[in-house]
Amino acid sequence: MIDLIIFDCDGVLVDSEILAAQMTSATLSSIGLTMSTDEVLASLVGHDAMTVRRKLEDRHGVALPTDFEADLAVRLDDAFTTRLQPIAGVPELLLGLDRPYCVASNSGHDRLRRTFATTGLTPLVEGRVFSADDVARGKPAPDLFLHAARAMGGVPADRCLVIEDSVTGVTAARAAGMRVIGFCGGSHILPGHDQRLLALGAYRILTDHSQLAALPGLSAGLAATATAGA
């Protein structure tokens, strides 16, 4: 039985990861460092800002400027304001759910507020958004998912279903003892990504939110499907 559905945000609810990768590549280029959009997608998707900084510094062997994140944030805000869209079918999916749901994202609360305001999703997620800002350790640690489940009424981990697009997110969900579906419907997904998510413990892959909505009524059918994949 599933009592709570937990959605990641970037790459699951909004098609933001490709924009974030493009802006990260551009920001690096502005300080003389080279990293393609595909390289960013392959190594940085799903991580919080502190982890991204550490990975970039390790890769390039230099300390990033102290204003790197601020510069990136300006570029992201511009890209999000002009180009960010919800993943197809998200509003209809959220409106049609017959059980509690929430969002658990490694993005900060400020960015999440802007993301949902820009895409018109705020009314559908307000009061049920959790961020890596809320816990000591973001994904791939299980802390954020466990925090969200507690805040949403103390739902046991084995009665939660997570929808995730990243290696980091699937790892965190499984570490939390939660079932997880790998979502590969964003424009940032590279070939072979579905197999990586399955290998990490996602019990099935979906490429369109209509496939999730089609699990019979997101009620008894969803519960039975998730149980079968545990």
Side-chain angles (χ1 to χ4, degrees), residues 1-83:
M1 179 68 177
I2 296 299
D3 292 332
L4 176 66
I5 303 173
I6 306 177
F7 293 92
D8 180 38
C9 175
D10 297 293
V12 172
L13 298 181
V14 298
D15 204 8
S16 56
E17 294 290 14
I18 188 66
L19 300 179
Q22 290 168 349
M23 294 306 102
T24 300
S25 178
T27 306
L28 288 168
S29 180
S30 74
I31 58 174
L33 301 177
T34 301
M35 193 171 184
S36 71
T37 296
D38 280 357
E39 288 173 327
V40 173
L41 290 173
S43 60
L44 300 180
V45 167
H47 292 290
D48 59 33
M50 185 178 299
T51 302
V52 167
R53 170 176 277 269
R54 185 179 71 248
K55 282 178 168 287
L56 288 174
E57 290 180 337
D58 288 347
R59 175 189 173 96
H60 294 285
V62 298
L64 294 178
T66 56
D67 63 350
F68 178 81
E69 288 82 4
D71 187 8
L72 176 57
V74 171
R75 295 171 188 265
L76 281 175
D77 282 348
D78 180 63
F80 279 20
T81 298
T82 57
R83 298 161 58 193

Side-chain angles (χ1 to χ4, degrees), residues 61-129:
V62 298
L64 294 178
T66 56
D67 63 350
F68 178 81
E69 288 82 4
D71 187 8
L72 176 57
V74 171
R75 295 171 188 265
L76 281 175
D77 282 348
D78 180 63
F80 279 20
T81 298
T82 57
R83 298 161 58 193
L84 184 62
Q85 296 292 326
I87 297 283
V90 163
E92 296 82 1
L93 174 65
L94 298 182
L95 285 167
L97 290 175
D98 70 347
R99 67 198 58 224
Y101 67 89
C102 66
V103 180
S105 170
N106 261 357
S107 291
H109 276 298
D110 286 345
R111 178 174 163 186
L112 289 167
R113 278 190 288 270
R114 292 193 295 272
T115 292
F116 292 130
T118 298
T119 56
L121 295 177
T122 299
L124 297 176
V125 300
E126 198 163 21
R128 58 181 87 200
V129 177

Side-chain angles (χ1 to χ4, degrees), residues 179-196:
R179 303 179 182 101
V180 57
I181 287 175
F183 182 73
C184 292
S187 58
H188 65 293
I189 298 297
L190 299 175
H193 189 65
D194 54 346
Q195 295 304 310
R196 295 177 72 193

